[in-house]
Amino acid sequence: FILVFVFVASAMAAAAAAVVTLSMQQRNSNGSGGSLRAGSIGYPPRLVEEWRPLGRRGPPGSLICTALVSLGFFCTGGYFFFSASVKQREESVQVYDETVTTWEDHLRTAFATSSFSVSAILCDDPEAGPFVTQLHSSDSEELPLNDAEGGLGLEDYRPQTFVSALELPLLQVDDSSSNDTAGIDFKDQRQGSRVNFTILATTNNGTKSELEVSVYLAYIRELRRSRANAAVRCPVGSHGTWKNNRCYVRNLLESVCVQLELDNRGSWQLYRRGSRASSYGCDERNYWHAGLYLPDECYGSRAECSSPTEVDVNITLRHAGDPKLMAAELTHSTYNFGRSEGSNMTLGWVFLGAGFVLFLPIVIAIVISIRAKKRRNLARALDEQALSPVAKGFGRANVAHE
């Protein structure tokens, strides 16, 4: 599709530039701009067929636009050639395939033969728990590829996760008497109700370990984006509450995903993938945070429903060597490894050829303009040689008078 579009666009642009150039030729050849015709008494004759495609006021706008488009095609072709030389896809695919090989050799077996259970305790109401669930093994997940090459060169693997769900009671948050109820991004502390998850992990040889994960069950944050009619859009579009010229929304915990790995003693531990202490989650777009949140659509002051009293939290455990996590890290969770070297080279040549096609009418116009100028100077020199000395002086006087 890209190749067809580039060729059609370049052909249309070149045809348009050629039509405009020919129209300039026709206009310049039909009129002499008030100058005397060839053979006029006392004035050096002008060639009626003289062509000035670039005109006296500079090149026409169509040629300028064509030159800019051609330059853009040249730059785009250079970008694809540079991408082909970098070989980013080939390097990423090699790292991914090595991860798949290691996963299939021993990591998946060690993970699949382990057992996990999770208990949750609400920090605001410890007596309400604990809420316990046994995680079950799952191998039905597939890599959500959005690859430009359709997964070319990517090894297949057998997925392995442990999943379950917990139904947790949700405490109602009353922020009517507070002016500072805003929770903020993952870099800082939030204000809301927290829940502590305890993961009991047991390996195939009976080694047990307990892992602690603490996230917010619900929190209120401030929308800091300033927009027109914010007081109206806050409760309607953002499902929030407008207070003290600020918009507050409520987020609820939807899921928790944690990465695990075996330490030197053979027991499971949390694996931190990012730079933050709590970056043991599974989504690179979420800063590897363990919790994933959704807005509470019933929180706003104009909501037609009441906020839920319980939330269903999906819990997922992954091995740190899971190929999906490596693919998310390599592609920034887009699961697109980019174009191959051959595809980049092909696109580079296509855009380079389209740039030459677009630049061809400009080259033709410049060449014809230079040749017309040479013919014009030659004709004037021949006319001056054919005139008598008196006629030459009379002609120069008229030219100077003009």
Side-chain angles (χ1 to χ4, degrees):
F1 176 77
I2 296 178
L3 301 181
V4 173
F5 173 78
V6 171
F7 275 120
V8 171
S10 59
M12 292 178 63
V19 169
V20 173
T21 303
L22 293 177
S23 64
M24 292 291 297
Q25 177 188 12
Q26 185 69 21
R27 185 182 63 183
N28 291 332
S29 61
N30 289 338
S32 58
S35 59
L36 297 178
R37 290 182 176 274
S40 299
I41 300 177
Y43 196 82
R46 303 285 180 88
L47 296 176
V48 179
E49 65 275 9
E50 177 183 338
W51 182 31
R52 304 186 185 95
L54 298 183
R56 295 182 177 180
R57 298 182 179 179
S62 60
L63 293 181
I64 296 178
C65 294
T66 304
L68 294 178
V69 175
S70 175
L71 179 61
F73 280 174
F74 285 142
C75 294
T76 305
Y79 167 77
F80 283 116
F81 284 134
F82 175 77
S83 299
S85 64
V86 173
K87 299 181 179 180
Q88 182 177 359
R89 176 186 173 83
E90 286 73 15
E91 295 178 358
S92 299
V93 169
Q94 181 180 359
V95 173
Y96 174 80
D97 290 344
E98 292 175 355
T99 303
V100 171
T101 301
T102 306
W103 168 259
E104 292 291 342
D105 287 345
H106 59 278
L107 294 184
R108 185 184 185 278
T109 302
F111 188 53
T113 55
S114 300
S115 61
F116 303 92
S117 63
V118 175
S119 62
I121 297 179
L122 303 180
C123 297
D124 296 340
D125 191 9
E127 297 180 357
F131 303 89
V132 183
T133 182
Q134 183 72 28
L135 281 76
H136 60 273
S137 175
S138 175
D139 58 357
S140 60
E141 186 184 33
E142 296 181 357
L143 186 65
L145 276 179
N146 187 28
D147 190 50
E149 299 291 340
L152 180 64
L154 299 177
E155 297 290 341
D156 295 330
Y157 76 99
R158 296 173 298 166
Q160 178 62 53
T161 58
F162 285 86
V163 297
S164 185
L166 276 176
E167 189 176 86
L168 302 177
L170 187 63
L171 300 178
Q172 299 299 319
V173 180
D174 183 14
D175 63 327
S176 58
S177 60
S178 175
N179 292 331
D180 188 14
T181 59
I184 42 186
D185 58 15
F186 297 125
K187 299 179 181 179
D188 304 314
Q189 297 296 325
R190 303 178 186 210
Q191 295 181 359
S193 58
R194 300 185 68 92
V195 56
N196 292 332
F197 293 96
T198 301
I199 303 174
L200 178 60
T202 306
T203 62
N204 55 356
N205 57 8
T207 304
K208 296 184 178 182
S209 58
E210 290 188 359
L211 311 174
E212 300 290 336
V213 177
S214 179
V215 295
Y216 282 95
L217 182 62
Y219 68 94
I220 299 173
R221 69 183 181 93
E222 175 192 346
L223 287 181
R224 299 182 179 181
R225 294 174 294 179
S226 59
R227 298 183 300 179
N229 301 325
V232 178
R233 295 187 178 185
C234 175
V236 176
S238 302
H239 305 287
T241 299
W242 184 257
K243 185 179 63 176
N244 299 330
N245 293 327
R246 296 180 180 180
C247 182
Y248 296 96
V249 297
R250 189 187 192 197
N251 287 350
L252 304 178
L253 181 64
E254 180 195 22
S255 62
V256 174
C257 186
V258 177
Q259 300 183 48
L260 305 177
E261 70 170 354
L262 288 173
D263 58 13
N264 297 330
R265 298 174 298 176
S267 59
W268 291 106
Q269 65 177 0
L270 297 175
Y271 178 79
R272 188 177 68 180
R273 188 171 292 269
S275 58
R276 299 181 178 88
S278 60
S279 58
Y280 37 74
C282 306
D283 193 349
E284 188 269 344
R285 293 171 297 183
N286 200 29
Y287 303 99
W288 301 112
H289 192 270
L292 182 63
Y293 298 85
L294 289 179
D296 183 5
E297 297 182 357
C298 297
Y299 173 74
S301 57
R302 297 186 183 181
E304 299 179 356
C305 56
S306 57
S307 295
T309 58
E310 295 178 342
V311 290
D312 293 328
V313 181
N314 298 318
I315 302 174
T316 303
L317 299 183
R318 291 185 176 275
H319 196 288
D322 193 331
K324 181 180 179 181
L325 297 178
M326 178 57 66
E329 183 176 0
L330 292 173
T331 63
H332 302 287
S333 296
T334 62
Y335 301 101
N336 182 8
F337 288 82
R339 298 181 180 88
S340 63
E341 180 183 3
S343 297
N344 284 324
M345 289 294 293
T346 301
L347 290 174
W349 285 114
V350 167
F351 278 96
L352 189 63
F356 278 116
V357 171
L358 290 177
F359 197 69
L360 186 60
I362 303 175
V363 175
I364 295 175
I366 294 175
V367 171
I368 295 179
S369 177
I370 295 175
R371 295 181 61 182
K373 184 177 180 180
K374 291 182 178 179
R375 290 198 304 268
R376 185 166 59 249
N377 295 335
L378 179 60
R380 288 178 179 175
L382 294 176
D383 290 341
E384 289 184 358
Q385 292 178 2
L387 294 175
S388 62
V390 177
K392 290 181 181 179
F394 183 70
R396 292 194 186 96
N398 287 340
V399 172
H401 180 69
E402 284 188 352

